[in-house]
Amino acid sequence: MAKFFYPMQNILDIKLQLETVAKQEYANAQAALNVEEQKLKALRDRKRGYMLEYSEAISGKLDFLRIDECGNAIDVMEDLIAAQMEVVRTKSRELEKARQKLNELMQERKMHEKLKEKKFEEFLVELNEQESKETDEVVSYQFNSKGQTEE
């Protein structure tokens, strides 16, 4: 039986490797985004803590130094949160780029796999035609051989 050979198999293999690399890059981008989002959450939690401390400082015995420190800490936290939000937006854009790249590579790989399937189907059709032709030749030879021996 004939063996199927796909001439562009090396391209398909490269596409598979590129897709694997893109999946890893996407996972890394997702992990980096998660880390930055956790940092942002921690900053927001710290700000809430400072705000709680600030509200306690102004509701009890007035300690102007503590009130000023808490106010300054809240301002600093707002600046840090704004900066961290920009980092999160940057990481989100990087994640989106990695996702788009992965989608493109997956589409290319699927396209090459469909081409391979099509070529394999063509190969099977040709193989069946060849086998049918050989069978017809054998039957024709046997028929002609019987006809000659009866005469």
Side-chain angles (χ1 to χ4, degrees):
M1 177 165 183
K3 185 174 179 179
F4 175 70
F5 173 74
Y6 182 58
M8 295 183 1
Q9 182 65 42
N10 57 348
I11 294 173
L12 180 58
D13 294 340
I14 290 170
K15 295 293 182 186
L16 286 169
Q17 290 174 349
L18 289 173
E19 183 180 339
T20 302
V21 170
K23 283 179 183 178
Q24 186 61 44
E25 288 173 357
Y26 179 79
N28 291 343
Q30 182 67 50
L33 177 61
N34 290 342
V35 166
E36 297 304 327
E37 286 176 340
Q38 288 298 319
K39 287 179 185 178
L40 180 60
K41 183 183 180 302
L43 289 172
R44 287 181 174 157
D45 289 343
R46 280 180 60 193
K47 180 184 174 188
R48 266 193 292 285
Y50 286 129
M51 291 181 78
L52 182 62
E53 190 177 332
Y54 181 78
S55 65
E56 288 173 1
I58 60 173
S59 66
K61 184 179 175 188
L62 293 179
D63 182 1
F64 293 109
L65 182 60
R66 185 172 169 214
I67 293 171
D68 192 41
E69 286 175 354
C70 288
N72 289 337
I74 290 170
D75 290 340
V76 168
M77 294 310 296
E78 287 175 352
D79 292 341
L80 290 175
I81 288 171
Q84 188 62 27
M85 286 177 68
E86 184 57 38
V87 171
V88 168
R89 280 191 287 275
T90 301
K91 294 296 180 181
S92 293
R93 285 190 294 269
E94 290 174 8
L95 179 65
E96 182 61 23
K97 286 179 185 177
R99 186 190 63 76
Q100 288 175 349
K101 180 179 176 183
L102 177 59
N103 282 343
E104 289 172 10
L105 289 170
M106 288 174 69
Q107 287 175 347
E108 289 176 12
R109 176 193 47 88
K110 287 178 183 178
M111 179 188 67
H112 279 279
E113 285 178 346
K114 286 199 184 288
L115 286 172
K116 182 178 179 179
E117 288 174 16
K118 227 176 186 181
K119 290 291 186 184
F120 184 68
E121 289 172 5
E122 290 174 6
F123 169 77
L124 290 178
V125 167
E126 289 176 14
L127 186 63
N128 286 337
E129 288 175 355
Q130 181 68 28
E131 287 176 358
S132 178
K133 183 179 176 184
E134 289 174 3
T135 303
D136 288 347
E137 288 176 0
V138 168
V139 169
S140 175
Y141 176 75
Q142 288 176 348
F143 180 75
N144 286 336
S145 294
K146 284 183 183 179
Q148 290 178 354
T149 54
E150 290 178 2
E151 291 179 6

